Amino acid sequence: MEHQEQREEEEEEEEMKQPGAKDRVISGPISDSSLTSFPFLSSSPCPGGGCEDDEVRVAIVTIEDESCPSEPFGTDSHLETTNQIAQRCGEGDEKETGGAEGDHGEKEGKEEEEANCYEREEEEEEEEENGELTSPSLHLLSQVKRKLDHGPDGRPFPSGKKRCKGTGYLSPATLVQSTAPPAFDDLRLAGGLSARRRVSSGPPPSGLQDWLRTFQTWSGPERLLALDELLDRCESGQVKHVMQVIEPQFQRDFISLLPKELALYVLTFLPPRDLLQAAQTCRYWRNLAEDNLLWREKCREEGVSEHTSSRRRRRPGATTSQWKSAYIRQHRVENNWRKGDVGEPTVLKGHGEHVITCLQFSGDLIVSGSDDNSLKVWSALTGKCLRTLAGHTGGVWCSQMAVATVISGSTDRTLRVWDAESGECVHTLYGHTSTVRCMHLHGNRVVSGSRDTTLRVWDVSTGRCEHVLTGHVAAVRCVQYDGRRVVSGGYDYNVKVWDPETEACLHTLQGHSNRVYSLQFDGAFVVSGSLDTSIRVWDAETGRCVHTLTGHQSLTSGMELRDNVLVSGNADSTVRVWDVRTGQCLHTLQGPNKHQSAVTCLQFCRGLVLSSSDDGTVKLWDLRTGAWLRDVVALQSRGSGGVVWRIRASDTRLVCAAGSRNGTEETKLLVLDFDPEEGE
């Protein structure tokens, strides 16, 4: 045994003489004074400590000059040296205990040695906690010790079963992954980033390696303090370089890292316009941003209906979400309304110099009625007059339309039901004894009001008069019907609420001091406009006057009520927006761009208000702010006789009936299409 140990010592001395050796081994007795250079060796390094003749082997770790300055202390070569220390410590134990195999005293010796080993480990832990361990080698020894205190899975051994000797499960790679914090370069590679390009401005400055080794020995807070001081002393260009190195680390494509369901959930919080921009980021983001269900929810938030999304035919091979296409279409149409990005209006002529008294359109069909006793059916796509509905013997004063069914009322005291597709008169409804002045269609029923003071309820499919409502003492000027109740206003200053099935007058709403010219009814509120300049809001169930809206100076000629918002047009040239629940006037649409004459008609849709006037213009207003946006139509003879009599608007089209009372403007229809691609 002694001869074998002597041979091993000679081999180690020969290895020390070779150039480039990284690990130098000092063998032989070591005095107490030499141990002061290595505080971690002040206690006996081997389990059998206490003998003066014990031989101590110390591994001295050196770092070559050509090593990477940014490489953290703790690479494989360094850890191998540390493992050698641990393994040699174990070999010494085996030598001292190997001569007494099978003896009961051997077990006791091993237990005593293990106890001594545990005591030394506890002392080293206490010294490390007290800040006495500063050597990098000792730091690695403590890492080895902590690893030996735990099993391969990282869990600590049960009490009384700690292991001091290395047994093969310990490896340098496992040590680095378990104990060493990841370096910045490791984080870059883990994040999918390529290794950064290093500055190549010449040889490294002298003392850099020493500075880096010193930096490695500092604690986390000490390193932060050093970095703060270093940045304070850097020039702007150097700080910019640091930013360029660090910033990419935090530019993570978190959307691509998430499961698709979570990524889509995150995208639901973006408004549609931001989704459109996100789709331009990369192919994966585009695929997510094209999700049809995601866009369905966005369209519902924006008020785009399923009917709207299915109107356009999809192009063959198109992969764009159908709902996304619907939103883009709506966005384009909205911009066209507000900014006027459309071509010249289509002009339809056919009523000569007569006045267009009523106007309807449904789908691609436009129907105009005139005091020339006729109605004309036009194509909104081509602008051609498809057919003329002739049969009345007096001027047509009112009309209603549903799909291809048209109902008209005339001064000849009759109503006629027409098929707009064929031009055939399906029914002629007789019963009124004077001019039919107003009507309202709901479902398969139409209610007509006449100057004979009565209202009649008709079945459109059979042409039969089902009910006659009597009670007004003057001409009936306006009527509303929601399928359950009939509301009428007359020249007798009264508003009446009827049950058409029993023909009973449920309420007579009294309060106006002049003729009632306009009505709106949404099932809960009745709103009436009068020549007495006031507008009254009534409770339809109780007949009580809830609010009296004042502010207009003349006749309220037209009103629109939707979602508790009332828009009223008046002969005083102003348009007002009201909240019918509170009676508050939200906006008065006037100012430098207001109408210069009486408001003749109005519509509101898409958050916009359209108003026509005797001044020959159609103006567009923002319903929310009350701001004037632009003049959609301005006749050449505006201000000198040109008049816009009627307007009808859908989400994508505006139809205006225009002319003049003094011959300065031809009678015509103007059609503006704000979705020109719809017909393609």
Side-chain angles (χ1 to χ4, degrees):
M1 182 67 68
E2 292 179 358
H3 180 70
Q4 182 180 356
E5 291 178 356
Q6 183 176 3
R7 187 172 62 253
E8 291 176 354
E9 292 176 1
E10 291 174 356
E11 292 176 357
E12 292 173 354
E13 289 177 359
E14 290 295 325
E15 291 176 359
M16 289 295 297
K17 293 177 182 179
Q18 295 178 3
K22 294 182 180 179
D23 300 337
R24 299 178 182 178
V25 180
I26 303 175
S27 61
I30 298 179
S31 63
D32 294 340
S33 60
S34 63
L35 292 178
T36 58
S37 301
F38 303 92
F40 60 95
L41 296 177
S42 58
S43 59
S44 298
C46 297
C51 178
E52 295 180 357
D53 296 333
D54 287 344
E55 186 176 286
V56 179
R57 297 182 181 183
V58 180
I60 299 178
V61 181
T62 61
I63 302 177
E64 296 180 351
D65 293 340
E66 62 269 14
S67 61
C68 177
S70 62
E71 186 177 41
F73 189 82
T75 56
D76 290 353
S77 61
H78 304 152
L79 292 172
E80 288 174 359
T81 305
T82 309
N83 277 336
Q84 291 174 7
I85 298 174
Q87 291 173 358
R88 288 170 184 168
C89 179
E91 291 174 0
D93 296 343
E94 293 175 359
K95 290 179 183 180
E96 292 182 350
T97 59
E101 295 180 356
D103 190 10
H104 177 69
E106 178 186 2
K107 294 182 179 179
E108 295 180 354
K110 286 183 178 181
E111 293 177 356
E112 182 179 356
E113 291 168 3
E114 290 180 0
N116 292 335
C117 182
Y118 301 150
E119 290 176 1
R120 287 195 303 275
E121 291 172 0
E122 293 175 357
E123 291 175 359
E124 291 173 0
E125 289 178 358
E126 293 177 359
E127 292 176 357
E128 184 178 357
E129 291 175 357
N130 294 333
E132 297 177 0
L133 304 182
T134 58
S135 169
S137 302
L138 184 54
H139 176 65
L140 287 178
L141 275 177
S142 65
Q143 291 181 337
V144 173
K145 175 180 67 62
R146 292 193 183 106
K147 185 64 181 180
L148 293 175
D149 286 346
H150 297 74
D153 57 357
R155 292 179 295 178
F157 289 116
S159 177
K161 295 185 180 180
K162 287 188 177 181
R163 300 172 63 179
C164 179
K165 302 174 183 179
T167 58
Y169 70 85
L170 179 63
S171 68
T174 308
L175 267 177
V176 171
Q177 294 176 1
S178 305
T179 60
F184 184 72
D185 239 18
D186 298 333
L187 293 177
R188 289 176 55 85
L189 297 176
L193 301 175
S194 59
R196 67 181 181 89
R197 297 177 60 186
R198 300 185 179 276
V199 177
S200 57
S201 58
S206 61
L208 176 62
Q209 299 300 324
D210 294 337
W211 186 89
L212 292 174
R213 284 193 293 271
T214 303
F215 184 83
Q216 291 284 346
T217 63
W218 289 339
S219 65
E222 291 173 337
R223 292 184 184 185
L224 291 177
L225 179 61
L227 289 175
D228 283 342
E229 295 294 335
L230 183 62
L231 289 174
D232 288 343
R233 288 162 173 76
C234 288
E235 299 175 358
S236 59
Q238 297 160 352
V239 174
K240 182 179 179 181
H241 171 73
V242 173
M243 182 184 69
Q244 292 173 345
V245 171
I246 295 175
E247 190 175 23
Q249 176 62 31
F250 301 99
Q251 295 175 346
R252 305 293 297 275
D253 183 3
F254 68 96
I255 290 293
S256 300
L257 298 177
L258 292 174
K260 182 178 179 181
E261 293 78 7
L262 289 179
L264 288 173
Y265 178 71
V266 171
L267 293 181
T268 60
F269 292 94
L270 293 179
R273 294 186 181 183
D274 291 346
L275 272 181
L276 294 176
Q277 293 181 347
Q280 303 176 25
T281 303
C282 63
R283 181 175 300 175
Y284 182 73
W285 280 45
R286 180 181 180 84
N287 291 337
L288 287 177
E290 295 287 348
D291 186 80
N292 200 47
L293 295 180
L294 174 63
W295 278 101
R296 183 184 69 179
E297 295 304 315
K298 292 301 173 185
C299 286
R300 288 179 177 176
E301 293 173 6
E302 296 289 324
V304 180
S305 65
E306 186 174 3
H307 171 71
T308 304
S309 68
S310 60
R311 288 181 64 183
R312 299 284 299 278
R313 291 177 298 176
R314 301 187 66 182
R315 296 178 181 176
T319 59
T320 304
S321 162
Q322 184 178 4
W323 286 97
K324 178 182 177 181
S325 299
Y327 174 81
I328 293 175
R329 171 177 172 261
Q330 175 178 269
H331 181 63
R332 181 181 63 250
V333 171
E334 182 83 14
N335 283 339
N336 289 343
W337 272 104
R338 292 178 173 268
K339 299 179 180 179
D341 296 334
V342 292
E344 292 296 320
T346 303
V347 179
L348 315 180
K349 298 180 181 180
H351 286 289
E353 300 299 324
H354 293 272
V355 175
I356 296 176
T357 56
C358 53
L359 183 63
Q360 304 292 331
F361 83 91
S362 175
D364 295 330
L365 295 178
I366 302 171
V367 177
S368 59
S370 170
D371 62 359
D372 64 359
N373 305 345
S374 71
L375 297 98
K376 290 186 178 292
V377 181
W378 312 80
S379 169
L381 297 177
T382 64
K384 294 181 179 179
C385 179
L386 302 178
R387 56 196 57 89
T388 299
L389 308 181
H392 282 295
T393 58
V396 178
W397 283 96
C398 55
S399 64
Q400 292 280 275
M401 183 178 185
V403 192
T405 300
V406 179
I407 304 99
S408 59
S410 170
T411 59
D412 64 7
R413 308 173 186 178
T414 65
L415 288 83
R416 288 180 179 261
V417 180
W418 310 84
D419 184 341
E421 296 286 354
S422 64
E424 178 188 1
C425 178
V426 180
H427 301 292
T428 301
L429 312 181
Y430 297 97
H432 283 297
T433 59
S434 187
T435 299
V436 179
R437 196 64 184 83
C438 56
M439 67 174 64
H440 196 273
L441 175 67
H442 186 279
N444 202 40
R445 281 182 166 185
V446 63
V447 179
S448 59
S450 170
R451 286 180 178 170
D452 64 9
T453 74
T454 67
L455 298 104
R456 289 179 178 263
V457 182
W458 310 84
D459 187 310
V460 174
S461 59
T462 64
R464 186 172 61 92
C465 179
E466 296 184 337
H467 304 285
V468 180
L469 310 179
T470 60
H472 281 289
V473 295
V476 179
R477 182 62 175 80
C478 46
V479 64
Q480 292 278 294
Y481 176 49
D482 68 348
R484 177 172 169 265
R485 295 283 185 263
V486 174
V487 181
S488 59
Y491 285 175
D492 58 3
Y493 309 169
N494 293 329
V495 176
K496 289 182 178 290
V497 181
W498 310 83
D499 182 345
E501 302 302 326
T502 64
E503 301 182 0
C505 178
L506 302 179
H507 304 290
T508 298
L509 312 180
Q510 297 178 327
H512 284 296
S513 59
N514 212 324
R515 296 176 176 181
V516 177
Y517 275 85
S518 55
L519 277 177
Q520 287 290 293
F521 176 49
D522 64 358
F525 294 108
V526 175
V527 183
S528 56
S530 170
L531 188 59
D532 64 8
T533 74
S534 72
I535 299 172
R536 288 181 178 264
V537 181
W538 314 81
D539 188 309
E541 292 299 322
T542 65
R544 183 174 62 91
C545 181
V546 180
H547 301 292
T548 300
L549 312 181
T550 59
H552 283 303
Q553 305 299 318
S554 186
L555 164 68
T556 299
S557 54
M559 296 187 297
E560 287 281 330
L561 175 63
R562 190 178 304 169
D563 299 327
N564 296 316
V565 176
L566 174 71
V567 182
S568 61
N570 197 270
D572 64 4
S573 75
T574 66
V575 178
R576 290 179 179 263
V577 182
W578 313 81
D579 185 336
V580 295
R581 294 168 300 182
T582 64
Q584 180 184 3
C585 179
L586 303 178
H587 305 292
T588 300
L589 310 184
Q590 54 183 4
N593 297 295
K594 77 180 186 73
H595 286 295
Q596 302 301 314
S597 188
V599 176
T600 57
C601 192
L602 57 83
Q603 295 261 277
F604 80 91
C605 60
R606 306 181 66 92
L608 304 171
V609 176
L610 287 156
S611 59
S612 62
S613 170
D614 276 345
D615 63 6
T617 64
V618 177
K619 295 183 180 293
L620 184 68
W621 313 81
D622 189 302
L623 178 64
R624 184 177 60 86
T625 64
W628 172 84
L629 299 178
R630 67 188 185 95
D631 284 354
V632 181
V633 172
L635 300 178
Q636 291 184 351
S637 61
R638 62 185 181 277
S640 60
V643 178
V644 179
W645 292 307
R646 296 285 183 270
I647 59 173
R648 286 291 181 268
S650 68
D651 282 347
T652 61
R653 286 195 181 100
L654 172 65
V655 182
C656 309
S660 67
R661 294 187 176 92
N662 57 4
T664 58
E665 190 83 32
E666 287 184 280
T667 298
K668 57 190 174 185
L669 296 176
L670 302 176
V671 182
L672 291 91
D673 191 348
F674 298 96
D675 187 17
E677 295 183 9
E678 183 179 4
E680 295 180 1

